[in-house]
Amino acid sequence: MTKVLLVSAPDGSFKSVSAKGHAGFGFKGKDIVCAAETCLLRTAMKVLNETEGIVLEVHSGNRGELSFSVSGNGDRERLKCIADFIRQGIKDLSLEYPKLVEFRELT
């Protein structure tokens, strides 16, 4: 199971996300659920990395672990959209694959 934790500010803007584990839908390297999670998170990370005024800190220690957080006073609307993007995408995966993806959010 992959456990994803999204941390957002009171206004709904993105602060950080962490994902740990493997969904277990398929073999390593061929797991469509892990691939979907990875695609969502890496896309969000790339957008944040290319956003002026945002400082991105990334941690990807072991296989099956990815976390990133932001600092700086960048575009609040962009940060809200990123939080919405991650929230909706990972929540949809957790609804479709409830035994493989756990989604939590802290505000």
Side-chain angles (χ1 to χ4, degrees):
M1 171 178 276
T2 305
K3 295 181 179 188
V4 180
L5 173 64
L6 172 65
V7 179
S8 57
D11 69 353
S13 60
F14 177 86
K15 291 179 79 175
S16 68
V17 68
S18 66
K20 293 182 181 179
H22 288 285
F25 184 83
F27 296 109
K28 284 184 181 179
K30 300 197 184 292
D31 189 319
I32 62 169
V33 178
C34 278
E37 294 168 331
T38 300
C39 184
L40 287 166
L41 295 177
R42 285 186 180 174
T43 298
M45 191 171 62
K46 185 167 178 71
V47 169
L48 289 171
N49 194 48
E50 295 175 357
T51 301
E52 189 174 327
I54 299 280
V55 177
L56 186 65
E57 186 173 329
V58 179
H59 300 282
S60 58
N62 298 320
R63 185 172 169 87
E65 293 182 14
L66 174 63
S67 64
F68 53 95
S69 59
V70 295
S71 60
N73 293 322
D75 185 340
R76 301 305 287 176
E77 290 306 311
R78 170 73 56 103
L79 291 171
K80 288 178 186 179
C81 287
I82 289 294
D84 289 343
F85 175 79
I86 293 171
R87 183 182 302 111
Q88 190 65 57
I90 300 295
K91 191 187 300 184
D92 285 351
L93 283 172
S94 72
L95 291 172
E96 191 166 345
Y97 301 98
K99 294 181 180 178
L100 306 179
V101 181
E102 178 184 289
F103 174 73
R104 292 186 317 126
E105 183 173 6
L106 295 176
T107 304

